[in-house]
Amino acid sequence: GETPFFESVGAGLVAAAIVRGNATISGAADVATQLQQARDMYVDLVDGLEPRRYEINIDGTLIAGEYLLVEVLNMPSIGPNVRLTPEVNPADGLLSLVVAAEADRAGLRAYLQARAVGEPSDAGLKSWRGSKISIAGLGEYHVDDEVRTDGERAATIAIKRGHLPVMA
């Protein structure tokens, strides 16, 4: 089927964080405490995350590998104000594909720890820009803040021009 999204679609770290966060982050806490709990949870998850094989096609270019996370972004930040790459512009009609491999684990962990005090502004992960991205090997994945499990299903994420009218 077809599902519109606004922020991001992906697998790995962020999907795992959504699942764990729904069960562990205190809704009774203030927003600052919830953000800190979420950042701490992301760090814990990075340490234990197993890479998974993905076959990704972005506008005809194949990017395959074993990744800790695969994210298709339409917005610069996700989760607890996490910026994986500076290469996201929600107004340019393109999506950003971001991946993190095993070699990125330590840097991603350091970024998430430093993010709690506001620095650095982004994780500096490898990214590509495109209008149509297909990902095979998803397993558990998220569409914005909803987690889905579709076995080894593939998904295609694309920009549909004119589908975000803003009335001012």
Side-chain angles (χ1 to χ4, degrees), residues 3-10 14-15 17-19 21-22 42 71 78-79 141-148:
T3 303
F5 78 100
F6 187 66
E7 293 178 4
S8 63
V9 174
V14 177
I18 293 169
V19 169
N22 287 340
Y42 268 64
E71 286 294 323
I78 56 175
Y141 67 101
H142 74 94
V143 176
D144 288 335
D145 63 352
E146 178 188 337
V147 175
R148 302 174 181 187

Side-chain angles (χ1 to χ4, degrees), residues 101-165:
E102 183 63 45
D104 300 310
R105 186 187 302 265
L108 183 56
R109 184 181 203 287
Y111 163 74
L112 291 167
Q113 288 175 316
R115 194 69 195 121
V117 294
E119 293 295 330
S121 62
D122 68 79
L125 293 173
K126 177 89 172 137
S127 65
W128 297 261
R129 311 274 292 134
S131 59
K132 184 176 180 181
I133 302 168
S134 297
I135 306 170
L138 282 173
E140 184 174 75
Y141 67 101
H142 74 94
V143 176
D144 288 335
D145 63 352
E146 178 188 337
V147 175
R148 302 174 181 187
T149 304
D150 285 333
E152 297 299 314
R153 192 172 182 165
T156 299
I157 302 100
I159 293 286
K160 283 192 169 182
R161 305 267 185 236
H163 279 290
L164 187 60

Side-chain angles (χ1 to χ4, degrees), residues 66-90:
E66 299 218 353
Y67 302 116
L68 302 171
L69 75 80
V70 172
E71 286 294 323
V72 178
L73 302 170
N74 192 40
M75 301 298 288
S77 65
I78 56 175
N81 199 20
V82 171
R83 291 184 63 133
L84 300 172
T85 180
E87 303 297 323
V88 181
N89 180 348

Side-chain angles (χ1 to χ4, degrees), residues 16 21 27 33 48 51 54 56 59 62 64 80 95 97 102 114 118 120 145 150 161:
T33 301
Y54 299 96
I56 306 164
D59 291 340
L62 182 63
L95 299 165
L97 168 69
E102 183 63 45
D145 63 352
D150 285 333
R161 305 267 185 236

